[in-house]
C-alpha cells in the first residue's frame, strides 16, 4: 500500500473506531470480546471514575462507568488523526450525556486523547484518556 493510501486508510478507519466505541458504550455492548474489535490486548484507559490496563479490565471499567446510569449518549466531533507508520495519535471532542434513574442529567464536555495501532485485524486503540473540560448536573457516586 502506498503512503498516500495508508494515510487515507488511517484517516478513514480510525474515526470509525471512535464512533464504534461510543456506539458500544451507549448500547451497553459489553459481552466479552466486544472491546477486542476496538482495542489492543494491552490497552490502557484513564477516566474520571478510574483507570484500567488490559482488555478485560478496560471492558469492566467501561461497563461500570455507564451502568451507573439508565441511559447515556456519547457524541464525538472534531476527530484529529496524526499518523506515523503503524501508530496514530487521535483526539476528539466529546459531549457525553448521562441519565440518572430519577431522570436527572449529568452532562460532560471534554476531550478524548488516544493512541491507535495498526494490528493484523485493523486499527485498534492502545490508549484512551477522557479529559473533562466542564460538567453540569449531579455526578455519579464513585466508590
Amino acid at each position: 500500500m502506498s503512503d498516500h493510501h495508508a494515510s487515507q486508510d488511517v484517516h478513514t478507519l480510525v474515526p470509525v473506531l471512535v464512533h464504534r466505541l461510543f456506539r458500544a458504550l451507549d448500547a451497553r455492548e459489553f459481552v466479552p470480546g466486544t472491546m477486542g474489535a476496538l482495542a489492543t490486548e494491552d490497552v490502557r484507559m484513564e477516566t474520571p471514575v478510574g483507570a484500567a490496563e488490559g482488555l478485560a479490565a478496560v471492558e469492566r471499567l467501561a461497563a461500570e462507568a455507564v451502568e451507573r446510569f439508565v441511559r447515556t449518549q456519547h457524541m464525538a466531533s472534531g476527530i484529529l488523526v496524526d499518523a506515523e507508520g503503524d501508530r496514530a495519535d487521535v483526539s476528539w471532542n466529546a459531549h457525553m450525556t448521562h441519565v440518572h434513574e430519577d431522570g436527572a442529567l449529568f452532562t460532560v464536555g471534554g476531550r478524548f486523547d488516544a493512541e491507535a495501532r495498526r494490528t493484523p485485524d485493523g486499527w485498534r486503540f492502545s490508549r484512551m484518556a477522557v479529559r473533562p473540560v466542564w460538567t453540569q448536573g449531579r455526578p455519579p457516586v464513585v466508590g
Side-chain angles (χ1 to χ4, degrees):
M1 182 179 294
S2 72
D3 287 344
H4 175 72
H5 286 106
S7 175
Q8 286 181 319
D9 178 57
V10 68
H11 288 93
T12 300
L13 297 177
V14 171
V16 170
L17 198 61
V18 169
H19 294 299
R20 288 190 189 284
L21 170 67
F22 277 7
R23 176 89 40 97
L25 290 173
D26 294 335
R28 298 163 186 257
E29 295 174 351
F30 300 111
V31 294
T34 298
M35 289 295 286
L38 303 172
T40 60
E41 283 292 327
D42 63 345
V43 64
R44 294 183 325 271
M45 181 176 233
E46 300 170 30
T47 75
V49 297
E53 187 166 344
L55 194 54
V58 167
E59 280 183 339
R60 282 191 304 274
L61 176 63
E64 290 170 7
V66 298
E67 288 171 354
R68 296 169 192 265
F69 304 95
V70 294
R71 285 181 305 287
T72 60
Q73 185 177 30
H74 293 73
M75 294 182 283
S77 66
I79 301 169
L80 298 176
V81 179
D82 294 311
E84 187 170 319
D86 288 339
R87 73 171 290 289
D89 290 320
V90 188
S91 64
W92 64 93
N93 293 312
H95 188 266
M96 301 162 277
T97 302
H98 310 80
V99 182
H100 287 283
E101 194 169 298
D102 65 2
L105 299 180
F106 174 59
T107 307
V108 181
R111 192 174 93 197
F112 272 68
D113 292 313
E115 176 183 283
R117 290 197 313 246
R118 187 190 326 258
T119 73
D121 297 318
W123 286 93
R124 301 291 186 265
F125 289 117
S126 55
R127 178 184 53 79
M128 293 178 278
V130 183
R131 310 280 188 224
V133 174
W134 59 267
T135 64
Q136 184 175 18
R138 186 177 81 237
V141 175
V142 178

